[in-house]
Amino acid sequence: MQKTKVCLVVALAMTAITTSVFAGGPGKPGASDVKPDANNAGLKLPAGFGAVKVADSLGRTRHIAVTANGGIYIKLDRARNNNGILYLQDTNGDGKTDKKTSFGAYGGTGIYVKGDYLYATSNEDIYRYKLDAQQQVIDPEHPETVVSGLINRRQHESKSIVLDDNGNIYVNIGAYSNSCQTKDRTAGSLGMQPCPVLDSAAGIWQFKADKQNQTYGDGVRYATGLRNVVGLDWNKSANQLFVMQHGRDQLHDLFPSMFTEKQSADLPAECMYALKQGSDCGWPYIYYDPYQHRKMLAPEYGGDGKKTGGENAEDPVVAFPAHMAPNGLLFYTGNQFPEKYRNGAFVAFHGSWNRSPENQAGYYVVFVPFKDGKPSGKWEVFADGFAGPGPVKSPGDAVHRPCGLAQGPDGSLYVTDDVKGTVYRIVYKTK
């Protein structure tokens, strides 16, 4: 009889624990507790999903990190009131944040939580802040400088970051050029040979995450030939770095005898690459044509829209439509969403500015299914409606533009918008 009572007590205790974890615990609502906004925050989502605006009017919110306790760190592109990092909390458990603190007197894009530290970037430096047991910053006024002096020449200057599980941090250093012309973005100007930008930019650099005051000489050029990467993530199932490249612009403007306006709007693809140390993705010498499914020689280097090139350059693992500006990449490891999403990739497209005379495109979040660390099917639009009713003739017509992605402790998907400073939380409705 006594044994039966003990078993009953243990069973009840386990039920309570399971319920608390599923619900997210006090102040950390799980998906079953979140009531989606009546119109799903204006988003169009697959059946069974809902969305809620977690916060609004925050400023130019770029990348985002969500802690195991449900706290939200956001990097602002431009500091507001001398603060470029926001920390948001939902203290009453209603699914919307009601407490905000801020710190970090610098703008930027990158932010990431790993272990006992919050990592954040300006457009030149990488910092880290020690976290307490609740994953809150202990000393916001005195971060450690991990890396300083990264190139910022006011073009593709954002420094996006991700960490692996071996103590390394990876940072994008974008090309301060469109296509490495002798005269940047000038009609008919040919490319510099070799391209000097590749020495210190247009790639991914690897540094030690726990070493202070590093400079270029302490890092490793992990991958090269990448014009600009804003969205990147570490794929745990493949134990590999994946990135989204912003493809080159203005094929028609710069070489009107070779490319029509229509071709310029549709070329080149925005590409996802799976990287390893030493990868070369080919910029500026080539671009990827999603219609011919080939790497093409760039016109600055003798190409004419027909000549292929880059035989030794990496092939993209996914090719998306041109000029949509992929700014966020996240591999989903949660259990809340249906099984098809497990280990797949979400990509946030910021939206194009140079698809004229066509309407601009993007302004949505897409999903790419993966299996065994590789794409296993066609990509599909997952969350749309950010830009408003449209059509979008120019980026200024877009009401919201997706930028950052993060996964919550319960498996919710968070999306930032850097126009109005909105943060969305997408949940799978279990009831």
Side-chain angles (χ1 to χ4, degrees):
M1 189 71 176
Q2 186 65 28
K3 183 177 179 180
T4 302
K5 289 182 179 180
V6 171
C7 290
L8 179 60
V9 170
V10 171
L12 290 173
M14 290 302 296
T15 300
I17 291 171
T18 302
T19 302
S20 176
V21 170
F22 182 73
K28 296 188 301 173
S32 62
D33 304 313
V34 175
K35 182 179 181 181
D37 293 343
N39 64 344
N40 280 338
L43 302 184
K44 299 174 184 177
L45 301 166
F49 288 88
V52 57
K53 283 187 179 182
V54 170
D56 209 353
S57 303
L58 296 176
R60 297 181 62 170
T61 53
R62 297 288 283 177
H63 284 181
I64 176 174
V66 183
T67 73
N69 294 317
I72 301 172
Y73 288 103
I74 292 173
K75 192 74 196 69
L76 297 181
D77 181 51
R78 299 174 184 171
R80 300 182 81 185
N81 301 317
N82 210 36
N83 293 298
I85 300 174
L86 305 179
Y87 179 59
L88 310 179
Q89 295 172 276
D90 172 15
T91 63
N92 60 13
D94 67 352
K96 296 178 181 287
T97 60
D98 50 68
K99 183 178 180 181
K100 179 179 72 175
T101 55
S102 54
F103 57 97
Y106 53 92
T109 290
I111 198 157
Y112 200 82
V113 170
K114 186 75 170 180
D116 296 331
Y117 287 93
L118 171 73
Y119 296 80
T121 70
S122 69
N123 291 333
E124 299 90 20
D125 308 311
I126 304 175
Y127 304 97
R128 73 173 187 173
Y129 300 80
K130 181 72 172 176
L131 301 175
D132 63 18
Q134 287 72 47
Q135 293 190 293
Q136 297 184 33
V137 169
I138 295 171
D139 186 359
E141 301 303 318
H142 301 95
E144 298 174 0
T145 300
V146 179
V147 185
S148 62
L150 303 176
I151 278 183
N152 174 11
R153 296 189 179 173
R154 307 299 187 269
Q155 185 174 179
H156 307 145
E157 68 271 21
S158 66
K159 302 298 185 289
S160 303
I161 53 172
V162 71
L163 280 76
D164 64 18
D165 292 328
N166 291 314
N168 299 304
I169 187 167
Y170 302 83
V171 56
N172 166 64
I173 303 178
Y176 46 90
S177 171
N178 173 41
S179 53
C180 208
Q181 291 174 286
T182 302
K183 294 183 178 180
D184 195 32
R185 299 182 186 268
T186 300
S189 180
L190 297 181
M192 292 181 276
Q193 181 70 272
C195 176
V197 175
L198 295 169
D199 293 344
S200 56
I204 303 295
W205 264 252
Q206 179 195 66
F207 295 91
K208 294 298 182 184
D210 61 353
K211 182 181 178 181
Q212 296 186 46
N213 301 313
Q214 297 172 86
T215 61
Y216 267 109
D218 299 299
V220 173
R221 186 174 63 179
Y222 190 80
T224 190
L226 289 158
R227 179 175 175 270
N228 189 35
V229 168
V230 185
L232 74 173
D233 197 16
W234 191 264
N235 184 328
K236 290 183 179 296
S237 63
N239 195 31
Q240 189 172 13
L241 178 64
F242 281 70
V243 302
M244 292 295 311
Q245 176 177 232
H246 285 217
R248 51 108 18 102
D249 300 324
Q250 299 176 295
L251 285 168
H252 172 73
D253 293 344
L254 302 179
F255 297 93
S257 65
M258 299 182 192
F259 299 92
T260 66
E261 288 185 313
K262 169 67 173 172
Q263 287 175 312
S264 195
D266 291 340
L267 299 174
E270 305 281 49
C271 294
M272 178 189 289
Y273 291 100
L275 302 182
K276 58 185 180 296
Q277 187 167 340
S279 287
D280 183 349
C281 297
W283 180 94
Y285 308 114
I286 62 169
Y287 64 88
Y288 191 79
D289 186 321
Y291 299 100
Q292 299 187 59
H293 305 288
R294 292 179 177 179
K295 294 171 289 190
M296 311 301 294
L297 192 63
E300 291 84 355
Y301 295 92
D304 58 1
K306 299 176 182 177
K307 297 177 182 176
T308 59
E311 290 78 10
N312 296 321
E314 299 284 349
D315 289 317
V317 295
V318 187
F320 297 93
H323 310 305
M324 298 201 307
N327 275 13
L329 174 63
L330 174 76
F331 286 97
Y332 185 80
T333 59
N335 293 314
Q336 182 191 136
F337 291 5
E339 180 63 27
K340 67 172 280 188
Y341 296 99
R342 180 81 174 188
N343 296 318
F346 287 102
V347 184
F349 285 98
H350 198 232
S352 64
W353 63 268
N354 58 345
R355 287 181 61 89
S356 297
E358 300 179 14
N359 291 335
Q360 301 307 316
Y363 310 98
Y364 49 41
V365 176
V366 309
F367 174 73
V368 184
F370 268 65
K371 184 177 181 181
D372 299 326
K374 297 180 180 180
S376 59
K378 293 182 178 180
W379 64 274
E380 61 190 51
V381 176
F382 175 76
D384 202 354
F386 294 93
V392 179
K393 297 291 185 181
S394 70
D397 297 336
V399 181
H400 302 279
R401 302 180 74 181
C403 185
L405 298 170
Q407 181 180 306
D410 69 331
S412 296
L413 178 68
Y414 290 79
V415 186
T416 61
D417 144 60
D418 66 0
V419 176
K420 295 185 178 296
T422 303
V423 180
Y424 301 84
R425 180 181 179 185
I426 299 174
V427 299
Y428 188 69
K429 297 175 287 188
T430 57
K431 291 183 179 181

